Amino acid sequence: MEEVAALEEDERRLILDRFGNDDAWRLGGLLVGLARERDAAVTIGIRRGAQRLFHYALPGTSADNDAWIARKCRVVERYGESSFLVGARFRAKGRTFEESSRLDPDRYAAHGGAFPLRVRSTGVVGAVAVSGLRQAEDHALVVEGLERFLTEA
């Protein structure tokens, strides 16, 4: 339950005042910079609703990473929470998302790396996602990017 509480706290603090196309470009660029600093082979995607606002694949990634991003973002869209938090809640109950959610695992993945873009007084407007590392590392990279984004706003 500690993991769930920590993930819930991330979501309580990482709330945006607004999120537009230019914000997606800035956040995406921040995440690309963080990934390059770590020499991390990741793909980064940012969506607002059904529209893709940012997509970048660093060397060493493949179309599989695009598919993971899509699957993780569908979890954010459905649950309104990070893909890692959704998976952690199932694990905390001794179950797996794949067996218990009744959702198609080819379309939904409750693995770390997709995070809701939550705007104050509006709610979830989209998702930012990273794919290519272990799920906790994908999640941590997104959280660090959002933290920096908020402090530089």
Side-chain angles (χ1 to χ4, degrees):
M1 290 304 273
E2 284 181 37
E3 179 183 42
V4 170
L7 295 170
E8 289 172 341
E9 178 55 29
D10 285 343
E11 298 206 17
R12 274 191 290 278
R13 30 181 214 95
L14 298 173
I15 297 176
L16 309 162
D17 290 324
R18 67 181 193 297
F19 197 79
N21 295 31
D22 290 337
D23 297 311
W25 179 256
R26 209 174 80 206
L27 176 58
L30 242 164
L31 286 165
V32 169
L34 289 171
R36 284 188 171 143
E37 286 172 15
R38 292 163 173 77
D39 199 27
V42 297
T43 298
I44 299 158
I46 300 175
R47 300 185 69 79
R48 186 182 56 221
Q51 184 180 25
R52 181 177 8 186
L53 299 180
F54 185 92
H55 184 89
Y56 189 82
L58 282 99
T61 60
S62 72
D64 286 344
N65 298 105
D66 298 339
W68 273 100
I69 283 177
R71 291 169 60 218
K72 292 190 269 189
C73 284
R74 282 188 196 102
V75 169
V76 172
E77 291 164 8
R78 185 171 185 102
Y79 290 87
E81 298 174 324
S82 76
S83 54
F84 201 31
L85 174 56
V86 171
R89 284 200 173 120
F90 278 91
R91 289 189 300 277
K93 295 175 183 172
R95 300 183 300 194
T96 68
F97 175 82
E98 294 77 11
E99 293 172 349
S100 300
S101 70
R102 302 182 68 144
L103 296 172
D104 182 352
D106 289 335
R107 295 192 40 81
Y108 294 87
H111 292 259
F115 200 93
L117 294 169
R118 185 172 281 112
V119 175
R120 196 174 322 281
S121 301
T122 301
V124 176
V125 298
V128 53
V130 168
S131 172
L133 307 170
R134 293 175 183 217
Q135 65 173 328
E137 294 168 356
D138 278 348
H139 179 83
L141 184 60
V142 171
V143 166
E144 183 178 350
L146 282 167
E147 289 168 342
R148 287 195 188 185
F149 179 82
L150 286 167
T151 58
E152 294 176 9

